[in-house]
Amino acid sequence: MRVVVDLSRCEGYAQCAFLAPDAFRMHGEEALMYDPNPDDAQRDRVLRAAAACPVQAILVDKLEGRDAPVEAPPS
């Protein structure tokens, strides 16, 4: 899974850090640090954290079925 946080939208409410502390953490009072590629064991927590964000600054791309390499069609 891939996580992207719009840091210009994030207001530091830290709901994500409470719900998924292995993926999101506050550095100081306002700076959010996050893991852009948390492992699938954290999936439920990361999805809950994204849903709980008051300003909807967290985007989660599940990448299901996209990890396989794409082969060129035969010529």
Side-chain angles (χ1 to χ4, degrees):
M1 117 176 43
R2 181 176 48 214
V3 173
V4 177
V5 178
D6 182 346
L7 296 174
S8 65
R9 178 179 271 190
C10 176
E11 294 187 13
Y13 289 107
Q15 295 301 311
C16 56
F18 291 119
L19 293 169
D22 291 332
F24 304 96
R25 64 190 167 282
M26 297 303 293
H27 182 71
E29 292 184 23
E30 295 181 10
L32 176 69
M33 298 180 73
Y34 67 97
D35 180 357
N37 296 301
D39 61 41
D40 284 338
Q42 299 179 57
R43 178 182 303 271
D44 289 338
R45 287 182 178 207
V46 169
L47 292 174
R48 282 190 205 115
C53 179
V55 295
Q56 299 299 297
I58 303 170
L59 174 67
V60 179
D61 187 357
K62 296 177 185 137
L63 298 177
E64 294 174 279
R66 296 187 205 173
D67 292 334
V70 177
E71 295 182 17
S75 307

